[in-house]
Amino acid sequence: MSFVITTPLYYVNDKPHLGSIYTTIICDAIARYKRLMGEQVIFITGVDEHGLKIQRKANENSIDPQIHCNQISNIFTENWMDWDITYDKFIRTSSKHHETVVNEFYGRVKKSDDIYMGVQKGWYCVGCEEFKDNPENSSTYKCPIHQKNLEWRNEENLFFRLSKYQSQIEEIINNPTFIQPKERRNEIINFVSKGLKDFSISRTNVAWGISVPGLDKHTFYVWFDALLGYVSALSLDEKEDSLNKAINGGWPANIHLIGKDILRFHAVYWPAMLISAGLELPKKVLGHGFLTREGQKMGKSLGNVLDPKLLLSKYGRDPVRWFLIKDISLGNDGDFQNKRFVDIINNDLANTIGNLLNRTSSMSRKWFKNKVPNDVKTTENNELASLSKITVDRYINNFNAYKLDLASSDILNFAINTNLYLNDKQPWILIKQDSNIPYVKEIIYNVLESTRIIGLLLLPILPELSAKIDVQLGCIYKKESPWQGQLKWGLLNQDSELPNPFPIINKLEYE
RNA sequence: GUCUCGGUAGCUCAGCUGGUUAGAGCGGUGGAUUCAUAGCCCACAGGUCGCGUGUUCAAGUCACGCUCGAGACACCA
């Protein structure tokens, strides 16, 4: 059994923004965690490349849509490399491979008698390229974005019989763990209770897309294309493309991590489509919140978009990861404030965790010949050992519940308490009397052991920082042996060398 | 317009099924200390718990009304 986690397939109308980075980093942390826990992980990400907007964008630049997609798609993979995202599959919806899966999936849904030809009628804004739902005064209504009158359109589309799945969808979303967070679940329940309507799955005016088999003018509309990427990604390494290969590759997904704006499509449309095609359902759909900046929505028109590339070059990966994971509770909206960012990095990472390691290593080196103390009877009968056990338990529970912010706080609290332990024991005073040496050894050993465990717990969240901690403890993490086993107390080797300490993170300054 | 969620210290937020002097983190101020990255540790915030009414022996915690903010109300990648 593998653990399958997905980001949305990002739309290639532009390079990745902070929101995409956020989603992807969260998925990455979860994927790393699950791997460390010994699970076989398939971490899927990718891009959605079809649609009118892309077609137009390419036209504006007088290039072929495929060329445009190649360019942006490359930017995405480069970004994921820069951010050290450990994805396993990167699916592109313009790939032949994906097309095969879409067609087969469509075949199955059609066989279930869930496809019919209908007419999409409605008021259409040419500027938005969208139908507007505005039944009352549409003839005088102007599109709020474009301030233009709407046009009445009559378009032939294929429809999917979503209405048929009303009761089944109700049952699915009734499961309290299927949609998270629960506030959004209520919204979906409310939405579904009003009655599901069939939705259109093809367009006739969009050339850049996957052609519907047997219907020349039609291409599949986004939800019958992009969502399938989660499935088609699973057979990326197969020589022959086929839906069955993909399904056998690990379907269903354990979790779809998405932005709250596309929750409905994942929690309502998608399950219905899967039932129709005879596929299993994803276990969970988690809609996270949006990021604001200094309390304001980010937008091109406001000109306050935070460029992730800039963040990366200015602060590095781990500080940004820490902020996004620890300071924003998954599901809620989050606000990026520069001052807050600097404060939390300096406090949590530099002062609390970094300085703890530094002061501990320094003492040990100074008093015990640059080594971890020897002749220590490692006992689990001390406050740090029991605190460690409690911390590890909480952390694992929180991580399993996708409460990454709380799991991060568990680590931090452990570091704070280890600092307190030091201040309480005051080994720098005890060491002045030789008779205290055995006790001081024990104290220092315990504190070093705490930092070792803190480093290990940080591994899925802040891989680089974790590695630096490991280096300063003498490279004791064993990649080959199970991570969870190494979280046990007392595994730090006595009398092993401690390298010269260096700051694991530089303090940031206010702008 | 209808529905949902929220309005708690300068900032970000905890406060489960109502019950002693309302909590944490950050920022700010003072102190103690030196193993350490001016760091860790200790102390200090006199907050009408949005406003009002009600239920109750007792309400931040329940009910109703008002107000402010966020979101949902189908094709918004």
Side-chain angles (χ1 to χ4, degrees):
Chain A
M1 257 320 248
S2 43
F3 180 89
V4 177
I5 180 168
T6 70
T7 73
L9 302 197
Y10 301 109
Y11 203 45
V12 293
N13 58 346
D14 209 347
K15 59 183 194 253
H17 56 270
L18 192 58
S20 339
I21 307 283
Y22 174 58
T23 319
T24 310
I25 282 177
I26 300 288
C27 285
D28 181 65
I30 295 170
R32 286 174 189 263
Y33 167 76
K34 291 288 181 184
R35 288 189 198 107
L36 290 170
M37 291 294 273
E39 297 198 44
Q40 158 120 40
V41 171
I42 306 178
F43 172 11
I44 296 170
T45 187
V47 284
D48 170 16
E49 307 181 280
H50 290 133
L52 194 59
K53 283 182 194 159
I54 300 303
Q55 193 177 309
R56 286 172 76 198
K57 188 118 189 171
N59 281 348
E60 280 168 27
N61 301 329
S62 329
I63 52 171
D64 189 80
Q66 186 67 62
I67 305 289
H68 167 89
C69 291
N70 293 348
Q71 287 170 356
I72 304 282
S73 185
N74 281 338
I75 294 177
F76 269 88
T77 49
E78 281 162 16
N79 263 271
W80 298 157
M81 205 183 295
D82 291 344
W83 287 94
D84 196 18
I85 301 300
T86 59
Y87 64 85
D88 299 293
K89 313 273 183 189
F90 188 92
I91 181 71
R92 297 183 54 181
T93 60
S94 70
S95 62
K96 186 85 187 82
H97 172 87
H98 177 70
E99 186 180 334
T100 308
V101 170
V102 169
N103 286 339
E104 276 191 55
F105 188 91
Y106 170 71
R108 286 197 186 198
V109 174
K110 203 174 171 189
K111 216 170 182 179
S112 298
D113 193 29
D114 286 333
I115 303 288
Y116 64 92
M117 186 65 81
V119 177
Q120 172 97 308
K121 290 183 284 202
W123 293 98
Y124 190 83
C125 171
V126 180
C128 301
E129 301 281 4
E130 261 172 33
F131 285 95
K132 299 285 173 185
D133 192 35
N134 191 60
E136 288 116 34
N137 53 348
S138 300
S139 50
T140 55
Y141 178 83
K142 287 178 195 293
C143 165
I145 302 165
H146 295 89
Q147 293 301 322
K148 280 185 201 162
N149 285 320
L150 302 178
E151 294 174 15
W152 182 256
R153 287 272 180 104
N154 241 332
E155 190 182 322
E156 205 176 46
N157 287 159
L158 285 178
F159 278 77
F160 171 72
R161 279 189 221 283
L162 181 64
S163 55
K164 181 172 142 188
Y165 295 96
Q166 178 78 32
S167 60
Q168 284 175 82
I169 294 298
E170 279 173 0
E171 198 176 317
I172 292 160
I173 61 180
N174 202 33
N175 173 352
T177 60
F178 182 65
I179 301 174
Q180 273 187 356
K182 61 173 184 295
E183 304 88 283
R184 303 252 159 63
R185 175 171 165 254
N186 291 338
E187 284 176 8
I188 298 287
I189 287 175
N190 197 271
F191 167 79
V192 172
S193 71
K194 289 177 181 163
L196 293 174
K197 290 192 263 179
D198 300 343
F199 67 93
S200 65
I201 62 159
S202 75
R203 292 289 118 111
T204 50
N205 60 342
V206 184
W208 180 237
I210 298 175
S211 307
V212 177
L215 289 169
D216 282 353
K217 279 187 292 183
H218 290 253
T219 53
F220 284 111
Y221 186 55
V222 53
W223 304 115
F224 230 79
D225 175 352
L227 288 171
L228 272 298
Y230 300 140
V231 178
S232 64
L234 287 167
S235 61
L236 268 178
D237 302 329
E238 301 286 341
K239 291 224 173 67
E240 288 171 46
D241 311 329
S242 86
L243 182 54
N244 271 326
K245 287 235 161 85
I247 295 166
N248 294 331
W251 191 255
N254 292 70
I255 178 167
H256 292 309
L257 190 73
I258 52 168
K260 61 184 181 182
D261 54 331
I262 51 174
L263 182 57
R264 185 198 313 141
F265 307 107
H266 286 77
V268 179
Y269 289 27
W270 182 223
M273 288 161 58
L274 289 167
I275 297 171
S276 174
L279 267 69
E280 285 188 57
L281 303 181
K283 299 278 185 284
K284 186 189 289 291
V285 179
L286 201 163
H288 69 247
F290 287 155
L291 296 175
T292 53
R293 180 181 187 184
E294 310 292 343
Q296 282 207 309
K297 271 185 190 170
M298 275 188 264
K300 275 185 193 159
S301 48
L302 284 164
N304 64 343
V305 183
L306 196 49
D307 181 10
K309 213 140 195 157
L310 197 68
L311 274 185
L312 179 61
S313 60
K314 218 153 66 175
Y315 302 121
R317 298 180 193 119
D318 279 0
V320 177
R321 283 175 76 106
W322 183 253
F323 181 83
L324 294 177
I325 293 172
K326 147 86 180 3
D327 210 44
I328 297 170
S329 97
L330 194 53
N332 291 346
D333 286 351
D335 191 34
F336 185 96
Q337 291 174 265
N338 198 264
K339 183 173 185 308
R340 171 85 186 155
F341 179 83
V342 170
D343 283 342
I344 148 171
I345 298 311
N346 287 345
N347 272 294
D348 298 351
L349 302 186
N351 294 346
T352 302
I353 295 175
N355 183 51
L356 171 66
L357 173 68
N358 195 267
R359 70 194 295 211
T360 309
S361 170
S362 299
M363 282 186 271
S364 197
R365 284 169 51 85
K366 188 176 288 184
W367 302 330
F368 306 111
K369 305 174 182 164
N370 300 336
K371 288 182 176 178
V372 176
N374 58 6
D375 298 326
V376 181
K377 40 181 194 332
T378 60
T379 162
E380 293 191 27
N381 200 9
N382 70 76
E383 54 254 65
L384 281 188
S386 46
L387 191 62
S388 167
K389 196 174 178 313
I390 293 168
T391 300
V392 170
D393 286 349
R394 281 202 188 131
Y395 170 97
I396 285 177
N397 281 333
N398 281 325
F399 231 120
N400 286 343
Y402 303 111
K403 292 177 178 167
L404 275 63
D405 56 325
L406 297 184
S408 306
S409 295
D410 291 332
I411 306 174
L412 190 64
N413 285 330
F414 187 32
I416 289 170
N417 280 296
T418 308
N419 270 320
L420 280 172
Y421 173 89
L422 268 178
N423 279 65
D424 185 43
K425 304 291 183 196
Q426 299 187 301
W428 49 90
I429 291 175
L430 294 174
I431 195 71
K432 289 172 183 165
Q433 277 191 28
D434 282 356
S435 60
N436 285 328
I437 286 181
Y439 186 36
V440 172
K441 283 185 170 178
E442 195 182 320
I443 293 167
I444 297 300
Y445 180 86
N446 285 343
V447 176
L448 281 169
E449 182 61 356
S450 281
T451 61
R452 182 184 70 88
I453 289 171
I454 287 166
L456 282 183
L457 292 176
L458 283 173
L459 194 49
I461 300 171
L462 308 178
E464 287 174 83
L465 205 75
S466 173
K468 284 186 187 169
I469 293 174
D470 185 49
V471 165
Q472 295 197 37
L473 291 174
C475 299
I476 45 176
Y477 170 58
K478 293 186 190 66
K479 250 192 185 146
E480 325 75 57
S481 62
W483 174 76
Q484 207 179 349
Q486 297 181 63
L487 294 173
K488 283 203 194 89
W489 186 264
L491 298 182
L492 179 62
N493 284 333
Q494 298 189 15
D495 213 26
S496 58
E497 293 284 340
L498 286 173
N500 214 352
F502 60 93
I504 52 171
I505 189 159
N506 292 320
K507 290 201 188 177
L508 308 178
E509 288 182 16
Y510 296 134
E511 304 229 309

